[in-house]
Amino acid sequence: MKSTFKKLLCCAAALALPLVAFADNKTQENNTHSPLYFAIEYSTGGSSWIDKSLSYYTFNGANFSIGAEIMRAANGDSKWVQQHQLRYINSTGTIAISGMGGSQIHFGNYTFGMMSHSTVAPQLRLYYGFDINLLAGVVNNDHGGNNPFTIKGDLSAGFTGMVVYDFKLGKLPITARYQMSLPVLSVFTQTERGYMFSDFTNFVKAGSWNNHFNMRNRVHFDLRFKTWALRLGYNNDIVTHYATDNHFQYVSHNFVIGFAGDLIRWGKNNDNKIIKPALYTY
């Protein structure tokens, strides 16, 4: 994992430094909001998890995800922004104590958010609103036993907020962003004992902070080159379910590299809409 991280970091630096030196950022900006902003992200790092319906061990391992993000102004109201995030998440690990025995996680994750915004200063904006998150997949346990895997599902809704700050490194414009999502209510699935799915006791449960805690943190730096940007950053995911004694906990820390900007557009009258460099959004 350390070797992969170093390779990604070197690739990001190799891409970024020449562009910083020769960046041409004379593209005219304006106050018209962008109809669409699209990003592709790759991330890798470490993760740990425990699924007590499979094993009482904690697993540590490598984490990988690939995803896409779309942000666009909501139709009819320039203050509201829609956000769509779609990711595939894979984790492979071993028992923390012995380093033996394997476990794998395969999750699909979709988030829809709706945020309003306020301009605090010429370069500083706050976004605030709600999002709905759907997480679904399987946890597979290779460490013996007669319960090789469980199905996980989580539909949650809560608050999201984002701080966006624009600054320059020499001639290169950079947009820094921190976003946190904190679900309040959820419906999630979790097997009680789940031996080959023969027991579905408490399989579907309503969740709040007494038996369910999720959180997502995203820190991104978008290095902007005319209508596109190189994205570097950090993602953190926390998923925690409590159903009687069968806890499920998953935590990941990932380094992010990606590309963002005005890559795809659709809808009516696109020719009449003015695009600012990369999104950035208003």
Side-chain angles (χ1 to χ4, degrees), residues 243-254:
T244 63
D245 293 330
N246 288 334
H247 298 172
F248 173 71
Q249 299 172 5
Y250 167 79
V251 180
S252 67
H253 302 275
N254 283 353

Side-chain angles (χ1 to χ4, degrees), residues 131-226:
D131 62 8
I132 299 172
N133 180 263
L134 175 62
L135 181 74
V138 297
V139 180
N140 182 53
N141 182 23
D142 293 336
H143 188 63
N146 58 354
N147 185 24
F149 69 97
T150 59
I151 294 175
K152 300 295 181 186
D154 187 319
L155 177 62
S156 58
F159 302 108
T160 187
M162 186 164 63
V163 181
V164 179
Y165 181 67
D166 296 316
F167 63 98
K168 284 190 175 182
L169 181 61
K171 293 183 178 181
L172 178 67
I174 299 177
T175 296
R177 176 177 78 161
Y178 168 67
Q179 182 175 8
M180 182 183 72
S181 293
L182 189 63
V184 178
L185 300 174
S186 72
V187 175
F188 63 93
T189 61
Q190 179 162 302
T191 50
E192 190 68 15
R193 290 189 297 275
Y195 298 110
M196 300 302 291
F197 302 109
S198 61
D199 189 338
F200 287 87
T201 305
N202 290 328
F203 183 66
V204 178
K205 295 183 68 69
S208 58
W209 284 334
N210 65 316
N211 62 352
H212 172 279
F213 180 80
N214 289 2
M215 177 184 284
R216 288 179 295 122
N217 295 284
R218 296 160 61 85
V219 180
H220 291 161
F221 295 89
D222 288 355
L223 285 62
R224 296 160 47 185
F225 308 98
K226 291 187 177 180

Side-chain angles (χ1 to χ4, degrees), residues 259-277:
F259 298 92
D262 179 32
L263 305 180
I264 298 177
R265 280 192 283 167
W266 69 82
K268 297 180 180 180
N269 301 321
N270 279 335
D271 292 338
N272 297 327
K273 295 178 180 177
I274 302 172
I275 309 300
K276 289 186 64 176

Side-chain angles (χ1 to χ4, degrees), residues 3 22 33 48 88 90 99 110 121 183 189 193 202 214 225 238 248 254-255 268:
S3 176
F22 298 104
H33 59 265
S48 63
Y88 163 70
N90 171 256
Y110 170 71
T189 61
R193 290 189 297 275
N202 290 328
N214 289 2
F225 308 98
I238 301 172
F248 173 71
N254 283 353
F255 168 77
K268 297 180 180 180

